[in-house]
Amino acid sequence: MHASQSCQHNAEIFRAVADTVNTGIIVIDHDGCIWFWNQWMKERAFIGDTEAVGKPLTVLLPELENSRLEDAVLNALRLGQAALLSHALHKTPLPLFANLTAYKNGERIQQAIHVIPVKLSENGERFCIVQINDVTPAAVRERLLREHAARLQTHAYVDALSGIPNRRRFDEFYEDEFKRAARSGEPLSVLMIDIDAFKAYNDTLGHAQGDACLSQIANALQSSVHRTSDLIARYGGEEFIAVLPKTPLEGAIRVAENMRRKITGLGIPHPASPVAPQVTVSFGIASTQPNAQDDRNVLVTAADRALYHAKKGGRDCIACYTHDLHLGSRLPALKTYR
Amino acid sequence: MSYPISELQRDTLIEIFNIGVGRAAHSLSQIVQEEIKLSVPSLRILSFREAPRANLGIDSEHVCAVSQRFSSQFDAEAMLIFPEGKTQEIVRRMLGESITAEELNQMEQEALSEIGNIILNACISAFSSLFGSEFTSTLPVYHLGTPEETIGKNVSNPDDLLMLLHIDFALPRDQINGYLVFLLDLPSFQLLLEQVDRYLAQFTG
């Protein structure tokens, strides 16, 4: 093979390789003019190489004037400096499109660009390679993950500390069960549960111990309800709430008595408690047969008020409304069980 | 102990670095469309041998670094180093988005690589244009590790010199401090000082 033939052969190999790779390659000569524009570029810029070759990048693509890419190319040619244009900071510097539809809609490919100076010999002229990678798949994945994370955030139903359902879960569950009870005409009960003298517990034993206590109580409460239709949730602070569908007042009292026994049985030492040597809880119960147009808050507020009476009545006890809420008495009859 | 360098030489080097980072700040400000100021207030020369952590003044268990190799009549490894965690703040501000810590880790590396690339190239450009000599550079490489291994991985001889500069990164509401480190062997450093002297001679006649 003659030298000239081998030279031509090498050039053909170079062209074949450069046109096959799955990356954009622009070669810019010493004078800043495009010397080579590969197949990948033709397909995504919608500009053929006959149009591109021989022109400075900023003449072919005027939007690049005074851009970081122009700077990077000039510095590569002039000073021999390599540069990186990260996707994180630039997104879509070049007008490149995945297909004709994207081209018409102006939706650009997400890009990561390297500008690399090359010199064949010590005294040779320097040229530079602009290499463009399509990072759209990674960018799309990143966006989906971000959206997914945001959705998980807003739809998180579990209390991080205790592992039982959280307040948000309660709100949705209660709304559903209230409507269901109104339709079916069945009773609905709500239990408000509060750890006695929990502030004193935290103050004497520390917050880490307080967290552990909360978690233990949550588990005990959770294991006291056996029907899948019941819900125990952390309401906030040291307060828990139970929703018991299809349960009249008597049933709710039995559940509460069971819970109270279980928690006393845990025997978690509470040196600062004015009530007992171990951790105890107080219960407020309210029960009703809801109508669809009833205010949802009434039942919860009633349970909360009953809890207040349980606290005032000496703690470690169960207080409840013995009248149906619809009777609307101003000073509802309360009964305390111990 | 420090390498003998005159006050005038030191001041000149600091001046040149400040020209470089000033240009870099301009480029970075354009990218984020917010004013970013960079300055290099001090410079120390010490050998790698006498550069344990305490001496470097980098009081952080781990650091993030972006390094590039520069070649001219001599070679130098240039690094931009930030204490781990500080870089997240820079990148978060540069990206200007509300993003979570996990996402930030993903983007931090590439964004920081580019920020380092801009700052290091700009510093070297300043040397090139003032000395009239040409320095070529390689693409930036990201590294996370202890200060010793981050700097040490590029050291072949413990007598190699470290040119250690503080760099202040002033964002509109924050100030973040990092380090610029240039690793040179002894002959390279002497060549650098000769170029500084030649540059100064233009003014003193």
Side-chain angles (χ1 to χ4, degrees), chain A residues 66 68 71 75 78-91 112 114-117 119 126 142 145-146, chain B residues 27 31 68 70 94-95 97 99 103 107 110-111 113-115 117-118 121 124-125 128 134-140:
Chain A
N66 299 319
R68 159 119 168 94
D71 254 15
N75 280 339
R78 215 158 34 89
L79 305 168
Q81 294 187 337
L84 161 76
L85 276 75
S86 65
H87 175 253
L89 297 181
H90 299 278
K91 311 295 182 205
H114 291 116
V115 180
I116 310 153
K119 210 164 158 182
R126 188 182 288 119
E142 194 178 281
L145 280 174
R146 190 181 305 189
Chain B
S27 304
I31 293 174
Q68 280 183 260
F70 289 90
M94 293 283 293
L95 295 174
E97 296 169 22
I99 53 176
E103 294 172 299
M107 293 189 193
E110 56 164 336
S113 295
E114 179 170 357
I115 294 168
N117 181 222
I118 290 172
N121 273 353
I124 295 301
S125 295
S128 291
E134 186 177 85
F135 290 83
T136 60
S137 70
T138 58
L139 283 170

Side-chain angles (χ1 to χ4, degrees), chain B residues 170-191:
Chain B
L171 301 163
R173 286 171 295 279
D174 286 293
Q175 168 123 356
I176 293 159
N177 302 311
Y179 308 87
L180 274 171
V181 176
F182 286 76
L183 268 172
L184 306 111
D185 59 18
L186 210 56
S188 297
F189 188 66
Q190 273 154 358
L191 279 170

Side-chain angles (χ1 to χ4, degrees), chain A residues 165 169 173 177 180-181 184 186-191 220-233 241-256 258-259 262 286-288:
Chain A
R169 174 77 184 115
F173 183 87
E177 289 306 323
R180 194 197 311 273
S184 63
E186 286 169 326
L188 179 68
S189 295
V190 167
L191 278 67
L221 294 173
Q222 179 87 292
S223 64
S224 316
V225 294
H226 302 295
R227 298 186 310 176
T228 50
S229 54
D230 297 339
L231 180 89
I232 286 277
I241 193 161
V243 183
L244 310 175
K246 298 179 196 164
T247 308
L249 185 62
E250 303 75 46
I253 293 169
R254 269 199 304 281
V255 170
N258 188 17
M259 286 173 169
K262 207 159 202 165
S287 193
T288 192

Side-chain angles (χ1 to χ4, degrees), chain B residues 4-21:
Chain B
I5 169 174
S6 74
E7 275 309 301
L8 190 58
Q9 287 170 328
R10 183 194 306 276
D11 288 348
T12 307
L13 284 171
I14 292 179
E15 183 74 29
I16 295 171
F17 275 108
N18 274 305
I19 292 171
V21 298

